[in-house]
Amino acid sequence: GKVDNCQVGVFLAYTTRTQTCLIDRNIYLPKDWIEDPERCFDAGIPLENQVFKTKPELALDLIKEAIKNGSPFSFVGMDAGYGGNPQLLEALDAMKITWFADVAKTQLIYC
């Protein structure tokens, strides 16, 4: 229940056997921010970025951009915040992308 003043980002990292490097990022803007244009203006958020997207939607955008830019990869890995989102996982399946994800211990898995 704690409320704090912070920024939340979605990050895309490229990892090899020996190194990891952040290759892209996007800031997550809560819906109440997007619904307050004056707040967005005061914060310097460009008008074209004042569109609400969930963190999984932002992650999918980053993955698509990496593919468009020709970034080679074998799979996508993610934590439970994304692994519990069926829309993201179905989109990756539709794109024929191999993925693995952490999931909450309460999440039902069907094989």
Side-chain angles (χ1 to χ4, degrees):
K2 180 180 178 183
V3 176
D4 208 344
N5 187 16
C6 66
Q7 293 179 345
V8 176
V10 177
F11 300 90
L12 186 66
Y14 189 81
T15 302
T16 68
R17 291 176 192 240
T18 59
Q19 300 174 338
T20 298
C21 178
L22 293 178
I23 61 170
D24 208 350
R25 82 284 180 249
N26 209 329
I27 191 165
Y28 168 75
L29 297 170
K31 196 173 216 172
D32 59 325
W33 271 67
I34 298 301
E35 293 171 348
D36 187 347
E38 187 175 328
R39 186 179 198 178
C40 289
F41 176 79
D42 290 345
I45 300 167
L47 190 58
E48 64 271 12
N49 293 350
Q50 295 179 26
V51 177
F52 176 73
K53 290 189 178 187
T54 65
K55 288 184 269 184
E57 288 171 333
L58 292 171
L60 187 58
D61 287 349
L62 294 176
I63 293 165
K64 287 178 179 178
E65 186 68 19
I67 291 168
K68 185 176 112 184
N69 291 334
S71 299
F73 65 95
S74 301
F75 59 86
V76 171
M78 63 202 96
D79 68 22
Y82 303 91
N85 185 278
Q87 292 85 5
L88 173 60
L89 303 181
E90 289 168 7
L92 294 174
D93 282 343
M95 295 167 64
K96 307 260 188 268
I97 294 175
T98 300
W99 56 267
F100 70 91
D102 190 14
V103 295
K105 67 180 181 180
T106 56
Q107 186 167 332
L108 296 176
I109 307 292
Y110 298 95
C111 298

